[in-house]
Each structure stands twice: as structure tokens, then as C-alpha cells.
Amino acid sequence: MARASSTGDAGARCSRLSLHLRHSFTIARSSEDVAECVVYELSAGGHVGLGECAPSGRYEESPDLVAAQLGEVELSGLDLFRIDAVLARMAPDRRGAMCALDIALHDLAGKRLGAPVYRLLGLDPEAAKQTSFTIGIADIDTMVAKAREAAHMPILKVKVGVGREVETLEALRSVYRGRIRIDANEGWEPETAVKVLGELARFDIEFCEQPVAAGKPERMRFVRERSKIPVFADESCRIPSDVAMLAGCVDGIVIKLVKCGGIREAMAMIHIARALGMRIMIGCMIESSILATAGALLTPLVDYADLDGPLLVTDDPYEGVAFDGAQLRLADEPGLGVRLRAAAPT
Ligand code: MG
């Protein structure tokens, strides 16, 4: 684990975290072997709250930018239990930094009160969901081999959007009978999306994330109205105000804490989406168990989970949410229930 560039004062500290992927992670627009995250530690009352941001170039964020934004937050004199008031110190366009601060504030509050965050939020940990397991884009033989390795997982999420989708799904379906979701990461034009989804419907696809570019909800509506496979918005649906604009254009949305700004903004999105009759998935980036645990504790409120980030990396220094196969299990411990692993991997 790489730590550097400490910032902040009086109980707040930022450090960099490099997470190495088991396999190169390729989606329709990019490929990566190392994910650079930012860990934020907030100290008060003898406890340390942990937060994390997995900055996304898709949203013009970098680890340096997020760390600098976190270092600018003035916390002295604030009551850190007043989470909304503290978060109001963060400019609303700084979603990644807001996420790290929001998660650290919740973890700290839980630790100081001696209660799990899910209990503070009134949530039932028994209702946590099963996560999907992601198969990144590769040649078809490699994707089939990964699906065989993941045969014990009941749900796969298959990255698509660069062509050969029918051959790929046909090959995967020949070795895997569980639930399959697909994610095109904005990879298709609307007409292409309609054509490809029409051909893929026979492979029993649960839903397709973000078939077309974000920015114009009507493009999503065009695809949804012509597809038997339900359409979910991910890149199109970043923050609470995006949800209402997608009403009628999609079947569901994907919420990620690091896109929207943390637990509180995610809960706002959940309430808006429910009021509009949308289905909801909590998703993740390539991230450590800090972010994944914060996402997992909200899954009792939603329909689906895609929180396999810690399973995709070799050197997550933290442990938190447990993976009982695909079933997410939350610890009955104060705060997030995240701690450094006893023997950190090298
Ligand atoms: Mg996605």
C-alpha cells in the first residue's frame, strides 16, 4: 500500500492508496491495471473515521485533485455529528471529495456512539443483497475462462460495448447458467444498441447498464422503448437531480457513492428513484473495502448490488463487508466495521 502526500490538519489526513487488479480491467472506454484511491482519516473523541474516494477520470477527478479538495475543508469548531452541516462546507461539484468526507463522518459518528452505521440509519443488515461479479472485456476464450472461475457466483456482470457481443454472450451462456447483467459503458450509438440488445435478448439478460452516451436522457428512452432487455442508467445518473430527468427513460439507475457524494446523497437518490418507480442498483468503482462497505450497508434499501471492487484487487489493505459467496455480510461493529487487515498483503 502506498501512502504519501498527507494533507489536512487537526485530525484530518489524506493518503494515497494504490490497488492492483488481479486481471487488467477493460471496459468499453478504458483499461487499467492499478486503481489510485484516496483514503481520508478523520479523528475526534479518540476515534478515527475512515473515508475513501476512488477518483474517476470520467468525471474529471484525480487523486491529487480530490486530496487537495479534502485538505481545503475547514473543520475546526464544527460538531462532526452534524453531518449535513459539515458536508455543506464542501462545494457541491466536488462529489468525490464529498464522498470521502461523508463516509468518514458516518464511520466516526458510529464509532463515537458505539453503533454500526446501518443501525444509525435504521437499516436491516439481514436485507443486504448479493453482489454480482464482473467479467471485464477480453478475448472470448479469456472471458469464458473467467466465467468458469466464477461459476460459484450466482450473478455475473459482463462488460460489453466493443463488438462481438453475440458471440461473447453465446459462449458465456454455454458455460454459465446464473443471472447475467451487461454493461456497455456508453459504448453504442442508439440504433446499434437497439440492434445488439435485440440479438442478446435470447441469452436471458437481466438488464443492460448505460447502452449509450450520457447527457441526453431521450437517447436512453429511444433504446428502452425498443429493447426487451431493461435499461439502467449509470453514467447518466450521477447525482440526485439526474434521477428525475431520467423518469420514463430508463427502468432503473445505478448509484455509486463516489459518483454522487456519499451515503447521504445516495439515500436522496434512492428516495427519488423509488418515488418514480425505478429499480435501483448500488454499484462500485475499483475500490477498497472502505467504499465497498459503505455501499453495502445501503443495499437493504435497493434491488441489486454490484460491489465486487475488493474481489477484483490483490492488495486491499482493509477488511469490512464480508463476501459469503456473493452474499454481502455486514459486521456488527461500531461505525462501518472496517479495519486494517491483520497482515497486510505485500
Ligand atoms: Mg456501469
Side-chain angles (χ1 to χ4, degrees):
M1 161 177 156
R3 285 195 178 274
S5 66
S6 291
T7 61
D9 61 3
R13 179 176 182 272
C14 264
S15 53
R16 300 278 288 268
L17 174 62
S18 299
L19 296 171
H20 295 80
L21 286 141
R22 290 183 194 284
H23 306 284
S24 291
F25 189 73
T26 302
I27 65 173
R29 67 169 167 268
S30 62
S31 186
E32 62 183 336
D33 296 298
V34 182
E36 299 286 347
C37 297
V38 175
V39 172
Y40 184 66
E41 295 168 280
L42 188 57
S43 305
H47 296 278
V48 179
L50 292 172
E52 181 184 1
C53 174
S56 172
R58 172 66 180 74
Y59 301 111
E60 296 170 356
E61 291 173 345
S62 69
D64 287 343
L65 177 67
V66 167
Q69 291 171 343
L70 285 164
E72 290 171 10
V73 181
E74 181 51 65
L75 298 171
S76 58
L78 294 181
D79 177 351
L80 299 182
F81 283 109
R82 299 184 187 185
I83 293 176
D84 292 311
V86 179
L87 291 173
R89 298 293 183 98
M90 181 73 74
D93 60 339
R94 299 180 170 188
R95 295 284 162 171
M98 187 191 300
C99 172
L101 177 60
D102 167 284
I103 293 172
L105 286 164
H106 282 88
D107 188 35
L108 183 64
K111 286 171 173 166
R112 294 173 80 182
L113 295 169
V117 174
Y118 59 74
R119 187 165 296 165
L120 298 183
L121 300 176
L123 304 178
D124 175 8
E126 300 296 319
K129 299 295 182 289
Q130 291 184 321
T131 182
S132 51
F133 183 79
T134 304
I135 306 289
I137 293 172
D139 62 81
I140 291 177
D141 287 347
T142 301
M143 293 176 77
V144 167
K146 288 182 183 173
R148 285 187 197 275
E149 277 176 35
H152 61 291
M153 299 296 273
I155 314 162
L156 294 186
K157 171 166 145 174
V158 179
K159 293 289 190 178
V160 296
V162 295
R164 301 195 70 190
E165 285 84 7
V166 174
E167 298 98 307
T168 301
L169 269 297
E170 189 160 42
L172 292 174
R173 267 293 178 225
S174 72
V175 301
Y176 183 82
R177 299 309 310 164
R179 291 155 66 188
I180 294 181
R181 305 163 184 165
I182 57 175
D183 185 356
N185 289 109
E186 313 180 278
W188 295 319
E189 293 298 321
E191 293 78 9
T192 308
V194 170
K195 177 172 179 291
V196 175
L197 292 178
E199 293 171 350
L200 296 182
R202 65 191 164 100
F203 300 117
D204 190 18
I205 306 298
E206 192 171 30
F207 54 80
C208 175
E209 280 179 49
Q210 201 67 41
V212 297
K216 292 183 181 168
E218 289 308 313
R219 283 188 292 222
M220 297 287 269
R221 184 195 297 276
F222 177 90
V223 178
R224 183 194 186 206
E225 289 179 345
R226 291 161 181 79
S227 170
K228 289 181 185 155
I229 298 175
V231 171
F232 277 41
D234 182 355
E235 287 87 342
S236 288
C237 191
R238 188 178 183 193
I239 60 175
S241 57
D242 292 331
V243 183
M245 290 197 291
L246 288 160
C249 300
V250 296
D251 296 283
I253 62 167
V254 180
I255 297 172
K256 295 175 183 165
L257 300 193
V258 81
K259 274 195 308 184
C260 68
I263 290 169
R264 286 177 117 70
E265 290 291 87
M267 290 185 73
M269 294 177 79
I270 289 168
H271 296 314
I272 296 166
R274 286 295 187 220
L276 294 169
M278 294 172 170
R279 285 186 269 161
I280 306 166
M281 180 160 79
I282 299 280
C284 68
M285 302 294 190
I286 304 299
E287 59 194 34
S288 86
S289 288
I290 300 174
L291 256 172
T293 302
L297 68 87
L298 292 179
T299 66
L301 292 172
V302 304
D303 305 293
Y304 312 103
D306 174 34
L307 290 169
D308 61 347
L311 300 179
L312 302 178
V313 304
T314 59
D315 50 359
D316 180 1
Y318 297 98
E319 55 189 357
V321 62
F323 297 88
D324 182 1
Q327 179 63 48
L328 302 170
R329 304 265 185 225
L330 296 162
D332 183 18
E333 292 177 24
L336 294 173
V338 171
R339 61 184 65 198
L340 276 170
R341 287 183 194 279
T346 55

